[in-house]
Amino acid sequence: MTPLNGIILCGGNSKRMGADKAFLDYKGQTFLARIIAQMQPFCQTVYLCGNKPSYAEFGLEVVPDLIPDSGALGGLYSGLHRSETPWNLVLSCDAPLVDSEIIESLINSIHPQLKAIHAKTAKDAHPLVGCYHKDCLPSFEKAIKNGRLKLQPAVSACNPKILEYTGAQASKLRNINTPEDYKSLLTLDS
């Protein structure tokens, strides 16, 4: 298996949620703890990308944004810059249902001719559920320095392989961004 590190993006402002999504509870664990637990078996090191000192309580290295106010793209750039492995598994803290099956399918898609791989459903692209090679760094840096902070165009510039998930697997990619999303998640098992 390709040696890789993990990068969890958890530095967003959570404006729509009104609370830090990393610390939301699902089945007795925070979102961030769930994602760490899913990622660690596959990764040599896991980095938490965000500017909040409270993330240190998880016992992992917290990587601050190298370029302030650059959004998710800046967090991804900072994590890739910090990582010492060419390939890196990337997840966001607002996708707490991503499981080992999805992670394995992403990792198994790594190929020397690729620089990026990410998930997609029929409705949405999920660039923060993917694997990225450090060769994406120059493209991401250029986009940030030119003020183009939208994640999807920057990722598309790396010609990613897109893995489409359907059915139950697609539902595990759902992002929890609003109080309504969170309430819907909590009612899944009730």
Side-chain angles (χ1 to χ4, degrees), residues 25 39 44 67 77 84 101 139 145 148 150 186 190:
D25 183 83
M39 187 180 264
Q44 296 174 346
I67 304 170
Y77 171 80
E84 296 165 356
E101 191 175 328
S139 177
K145 289 192 173 176
R148 296 189 314 264
K150 291 202 179 286
L186 295 177
S190 53

Side-chain angles (χ1 to χ4, degrees), residues 7 9 72-73 76 80 88-92 94-95 98 106 115-121 123-133 136 140 149-158 160-163 165 173 175:
I7 297 168
L9 298 187
L73 179 58
L76 178 54
L80 286 174
N88 297 272
L89 174 63
V90 174
L91 299 174
S92 64
D94 60 3
V98 171
L106 291 164
K115 292 194 288 187
I117 303 157
H118 73 77
K120 176 188 182 306
T121 63
K123 287 178 29 181
D124 298 300
H126 294 273
L128 295 180
V129 177
C131 291
Y132 290 86
H133 196 279
C136 292
F140 293 167
L149 301 179
K150 291 202 179 286
L151 186 61
Q152 194 59 50
V155 168
S156 293
C158 294
K161 177 177 182 174
I162 309 296
L163 299 184
Y165 296 88
L173 295 171
N175 292 92

Side-chain angles (χ1 to χ4, degrees), residues 1 78 85 123 161:
M1 184 163 79
S78 300
T85 57
K123 287 178 29 181
K161 177 177 182 174

